[in-house]
């Protein structure tokens, strides 16, 4: 899925997609090589082959730039229809884990999460640019499961929204903890066991 800048577009010359791509790639490379504390807008500009003013026309500072550099990676996640809710969940879990195994994803995500503990505006940007955008996968998976008759439709919109948030938190939290905290592999066996546990929880919730 193509990444879009969440900020209000500015007037003037059209933005260069090639320049944006080069800048975001340079940001991730700088994070891997230098870490958060040593990364500067100037270093990113040099790596990307653009003027530093080009960066500041697009991003107000390092926080916004790094979040967008991470967000574009998560926009690669997809949920093809694999024929069942179990297969859909297991597939996206494995895809997510593979994404987190990439050094640029792992380093960038850990950096922005750590920094966000001291910066409320950064936390809000992470939520809007990454978390809220990726909830689309939960909504799509649930919609398909309901159409197949695997999950019932929920009449209460507020409850449905809360449940979608919970499902996202459970999946994202488990995979991030497994790969980045425990440093254990997310293989087909683990993904299958996790999926079974999640679906049992969903069945129990709907039966209650």
């Amino acid at each position: 899925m193509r990444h879009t800048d969440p900020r209000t577009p500015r007037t003037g010359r059209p933005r260069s997609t090639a320049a944006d791509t080069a800048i975001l790639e340079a940001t991730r490379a700088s994070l891997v090589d230098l870490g958060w504390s040593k990364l500067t807008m100037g270093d990113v500009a040099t790596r990307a082959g653009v003027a530093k003013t080009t960066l500041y026309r697009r991003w107000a500072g390092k926080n916004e730039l790094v979040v967008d550099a991470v967000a574009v990676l998560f926009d690669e996640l997809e949920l093809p229809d694999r024929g069942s809710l179990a297969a859909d969940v297991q597939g996206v879990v494995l895809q997510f884990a593979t994404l987190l195994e990439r050094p640029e994803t792992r380093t960038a995500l850990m950096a922005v999460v750590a920094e966000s503990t001291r910066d409320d505006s950064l936390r809000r940007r992470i939520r809007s640019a990454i978390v809220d955008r990726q909830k689309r996968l939960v909504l799509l998976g649930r919609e398909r499961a309901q159409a197949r008759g695997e999950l019932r439709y929920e009449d209460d919109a507020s409850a449905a929204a809360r449940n979608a948030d919970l499902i996202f938190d459970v999946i994202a939290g488990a995979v991030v903890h497994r790969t980045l905290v425990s440093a254990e592999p997310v293989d087909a066996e683990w993904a299958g066991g996790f999926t079974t546990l999640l679906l049992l929880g969903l069945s129990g919730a709907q039966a209650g």
Side-chain angles (χ1 to χ4, degrees), residues 42-66:
D43 177 73
V44 171
T46 299
R47 288 173 184 255
V50 301
K52 190 159 63 172
T53 53
T54 301
L55 267 67
Y56 282 109
R57 282 199 298 267
R58 291 158 163 78
W59 294 276
K62 183 169 77 172
N63 288 359
E64 292 83 358
L65 174 59
V66 173

Side-chain angles (χ1 to χ4, degrees), residues 16-62:
S16 166
T17 301
D20 284 358
T21 299
I23 291 167
L24 297 176
E25 288 177 351
T27 302
R28 294 190 295 270
S30 294
L31 275 172
V32 173
D33 292 345
L34 305 175
W36 177 278
S37 62
K38 294 182 180 179
L39 182 146
T40 66
M41 298 289 272
D43 177 73
V44 171
T46 299
R47 288 173 184 255
V50 301
K52 190 159 63 172
T53 53
T54 301
L55 267 67
Y56 282 109
R57 282 199 298 267
R58 291 158 163 78
W59 294 276
K62 183 169 77 172

Side-chain angles (χ1 to χ4, degrees), residues 63-85:
N63 288 359
E64 292 83 358
L65 174 59
V66 173
V67 171
D68 283 4
V70 178
V72 75
L73 293 177
F74 283 91
D75 283 345
E76 295 177 10
L77 293 173
E78 297 178 344
L79 190 66
D81 190 343
R82 294 179 172 88
S84 70
L85 179 57

Side-chain angles (χ1 to χ4, degrees), residues 6 46-47 54 67 71 83 98 105 127 130 162 178 183 190 202:
T46 299
R47 288 173 184 255
T54 301
V67 171
T98 298
T105 310
R127 183 172 185 85
I130 300 175
R162 289 194 300 270
R178 176 78 175 176
W190 186 90
L202 286 173

Side-chain angles (χ1 to χ4, degrees), residues 179-195:
T179 56
L180 301 186
V181 179
S182 298
E184 295 289 342
V186 173
D187 53 19
E189 181 180 4
W190 186 90
F194 170 78
T195 299

